[in-house]
Every structure is written in structure tokens, then in C-alpha cells.
Amino acid sequence: MSNIQRLRDFIIATTKVVGENSAEEAAFAVAPLLADLVAQDDWLPEDFRVPHPDYYRQYLLHADPLERFSVVSFVWGPGQTTPIHDHRVWGLVGILHGAELSTDYRRGSDGSLIASEEERLLPGQVVALSPEDRDIHSIRNAFEDQVSISIHVYGGNIGAVKRAVFDAASGQEKPFVSGYSNDHVPNLWDRSAEVRQALQA
Ligand SMILES: [Fe+2]
């Protein structure tokens, strides 16, 4: 059974933080909450950890009703990778299972994109992105023979944000709206078991 209350508690805490802080401050304040969430891999329901044979999956776990943030489960099959892309809102990446390789890009004088050294991200690790810093990147599964999963938090409804994918050699960008892989989200709100238990106490 999954300990879905960990996700519920994270969403409650993040909703408070986002309501009380500016976007820049919210990203800093949510980072330790996400680190707590990905410290244990016992809460993500099975439906949201299923890989696709050809493409990485992005399962929406929660979108704030005011679209101030969203929480997404990224599931990478063996060897799968994102295109080079940007976000245009703040973002946090927390590794839940497996390992991922992250590459940042900066513009060269000829307009091409220059890759940083690949960074290996391990379970429990959280990295931050912002429109000003590390906004253009790519991520891939570090493994050729197993699934990796990361939990991402963004400062908007990321599946509906107008952003871009890039060609590294020319630096040319193409419009990109990612959408989501799922049409239902986890039920976080069935708290009946704990209420019944309290009745019996
Ligand atoms: Fe990204």
C-alpha cells in the first residue's frame, strides 16, 4: 500500500508556502519539503510509475487550482531522454528512484548551445531551476536497463506553459507545450481510515 499521505502533506505545505511567498522565495522554501518527500520511495501509487516503451512519461500528481504550482512524476524507461528544453517558471527536480543525468546549456557567441558537464543525480537529491539560472537543460535516465523516477515541482501548470525545445548545433528554438501523460490524478483525500480509527480510540 502506498503512503499517499506523504504526497498530501507535501501539497498542503507547498500550497501554504506558495501563498505566503514571492515566486523566487517559494522555490527556496519548497526545496526542503521536496527533499523530505523524495527521501522515501513508498508513497507514489503504481499508476504513476509506469514507463512507456518509447518515451518518458510525465504524470500530473497535482495542479494548484490557481495554477501557482504543479507536481509531476517523471518516469524514464531505460535509456530515455528529454529534448533540450526550457521551463520559463521556477522548478525543482527531486530524484525518487534510480538515477538521472542532467546537462545545462548556455549560449555561445555564434548562438549555438554549449553543454555543461553532465551531472549525476541520485535518490533524495533535489536541484533547482529558474528562468534566470539553469533554465535550458536536458535530463536522461542514467541506466540502460532500469526505470528511473523523479518528482518535479514547477511554479505554474507546467503542462500548459508555452515554452521551447532547442536544437543544440543551431541554437534554434521551437515552440513546445508538454501536456501530461495521464487523464486522472491520485485521490489524496480519502482520509476515512484515520477518521474511523479516531472514532474507535
Ligand atoms: Fe526540465
Side-chain angles (χ1 to χ4, degrees), residues 74 82 85-87 93 129 135 137-139 152 154 163:
F74 275 70
T82 66
H85 64 276
D86 67 7
H87 309 84
V93 174
L129 323 158
D135 197 39
H137 77 171
S138 60
I139 297 188
H152 300 202
Y154 298 99
R163 45 198 181 118

Side-chain angles (χ1 to χ4, degrees), residues 73-105:
S73 163
F74 275 70
V75 180
W76 319 82
Q80 289 175 357
T81 184
T82 66
I84 303 171
H85 64 276
D86 67 7
H87 309 84
R88 306 191 186 190
V89 292
W90 62 263
L92 297 164
V93 174
I95 310 299
L96 186 69
H97 175 84
E100 296 172 13
L101 297 169
S102 169
T103 305
D104 297 327
Y105 295 84

